[in-house]
Amino acid sequence: MARWQFGITTVYHFLMVPLTIGLSIVVAVMQTAWVRTGKAHYLAMTKFWGKLMLVNFAMGVVTGIVQEFQFGMTWSAYSRFVGDVFGAPLAMEGIVAFMVESTFLGLWIFGWERLPKRVHLACLWAASLASTASAYFILSANSWMQHPVGIELVDGKPRLTSIWALLTNNTAIAAFTHTVSGGFAVAGTFLVGISAWHLWKKHKASTEEPLAGSRIDTVDDPDRKVWSASLKLGAWIGMVAFAAVALTGDTQGKLMFQQQPMKMAAAEALCHTEAPASFSIFAYGDVSRPDCENVKSITVPALLSFLAHNDFTTEVKGVQDLTALYEKKYGHNYPVDPSLGELSGKPVNYVPDLPVTYWGFRFMIGFGAIAAGAALLALWLTRRGRIPRTRWFPRLALASIATPFLANSFGWIFTEMGRQPFVVVPNPTGVDGVFMYTAQAVSPGVSAGQVLTSLIALTAVYGVLAVVEVFLLVRYAKAGVAGVMPPTDGDKRKPDDDVLAFAY
């Protein structure tokens, strides 16, 4: 139940994180373009997408605070084990997030028409870069759990000896670049989906409706320029980001083959050692059995060997051989410890949930590929200023918004579930004894009933917040440019209405 609670709240929180990282920098680029050129459509883009970014940021802050509180609530044994290591990166994250990010974002929200343009722009850049730096410190802590470095073992607990080793952990660098690339992929698809819908609505409602294949700028409507520029920007960002996701993902995969070979063997349902090893595109049968006797796969010969070691001949160990190696190095049984309850002294299953890891890995890649395809299609259909007249285009664009979110979520589920039964994974070349089983990490003084209560309560609250966020995003996305630009003489709104009043 503790794992379910952390999993539900973390996956929900991480729906906001990549959009905040990617969209905040994109909005900063839009405002930079406005400050440099003075063109009105860049100002409209900044305020429209900035408004949606702020809604998402607010929800991200609310849901993110719970993550660290759970360390003390349900994972106190884990907190005691990693406390000497995690204190530094989490403190850095708190300073960056709550002092730099929040301060400068507040100045940006309230600084319109009050601060000089360049100072106001600098506030947004400071907030967006601080948000990215905040993610790095969190990922450094998470990556240490995947690959412990920069420590010594003192009285059975790891003690940090080099913060530099922790921050430059190759696992952290690979995870950070992959995560930030995923954030830009989310932001790009977000821009494409909403912009395509508005373009189609404008096209449909126009009394000067251009013929299919004509240019957007043949119609005298400044809003069209906002949406066409946003769509093209989003599509190009998406294409570049998805290429970066593939490259950084390849780097991550090669590190995982070295550091967590069981995770990657499970991701391929590779139960028996192969040389060369084939990459499984699709498998059918019972992948939950560690012997894989009933599994049939459609494979690409030797590709897995290349993904693991950059050649087409190297051996890749399977689940069964790796299980024997893990049992020899880390023991056949859990320690005899009353806090482990019924698992005390029982055999350890070193094989993660094969269906979750196998299909999580494929859903991550599959949804990412769909999102990349949607961005490429949007670029093609709107080439030279064209607007598709078919109904399926805006619907497909809106539906594609969900795909990078799903890819990110399945990627994290694979990453965290694939390392089980460990919460701190042993480093094959690191200090012996620095690892922790997940079953040892839960709070011994918290009853199952208490965990269940908090699980139900937090899930219910997060469900309400999900409704609130979707409602706000849909409301402000539908409002379009008219909902954010300052009132004109013919506007019926009150002159003192602030375009970001919702943030107050």
Side-chain angles (χ1 to χ4, degrees), residues 184-385:
F184 280 110
V186 169
T189 309
F190 193 71
L191 263 66
V192 168
I194 296 174
S195 299
W197 182 82
H198 275 289
L199 272 178
W200 181 77
K201 290 281 287 184
K202 283 284 180 185
H203 180 77
K204 181 181 177 183
S206 176
T207 57
E208 302 177 42
E209 192 167 317
L211 297 176
S214 63
R215 295 175 59 83
I216 293 172
D217 54 16
T218 58
V219 179
D220 186 18
D221 185 346
D223 286 4
R224 288 180 187 271
K225 200 162 189 178
V226 171
W227 306 125
S228 62
S230 295
L231 187 145
K232 290 177 182 177
L233 178 62
W236 280 114
I237 288 173
M239 291 300 300
V240 174
F242 287 118
V245 165
L247 291 173
T248 56
D250 178 67
T251 301
Q252 265 198 310
K254 286 177 170 55
L255 287 174
M256 284 184 191
F257 275 110
Q258 299 171 20
Q259 299 166 0
Q260 300 182 53
M262 180 67 81
K263 178 186 289 186
M264 296 310 297
E268 290 299 311
L270 183 69
C271 295
H272 306 287
T273 300
E274 293 183 7
S278 300
F279 180 85
S280 173
I281 298 175
F282 182 85
Y284 55 94
D286 187 6
V287 296
S288 63
R289 292 181 55 178
D291 58 8
C292 299
E293 292 300 327
N294 297 324
V295 175
K296 306 295 181 184
S297 293
I298 301 171
T299 62
V300 178
L303 180 58
L304 186 59
S305 291
F306 178 79
L307 295 176
H309 305 287
N310 271 341
D311 64 64
F312 293 97
T313 58
T314 302
E315 175 184 274
V316 178
K317 292 190 179 298
V319 167
Q320 291 188 331
D321 286 342
L322 287 171
T323 298
L325 291 175
Y326 276 59
E327 289 176 344
K328 181 179 179 180
K329 190 165 186 178
Y330 308 114
H332 289 75
N333 302 320
Y334 283 108
V336 177
D337 185 345
S339 67
L340 287 169
E342 61 183 18
L343 290 177
S344 176
K346 295 294 179 65
V348 180
N349 180 13
Y350 288 103
V351 183
D353 191 306
L354 287 179
V356 171
T357 50
Y358 181 85
W359 289 113
F361 190 63
R362 270 137 199 85
F363 285 145
M364 174 188 68
I365 296 172
F367 281 118
I370 292 171
L376 180 62
L377 181 63
L379 276 178
W380 174 255
L381 293 176
T382 58
R383 67 194 184 282
R384 297 180 181 176

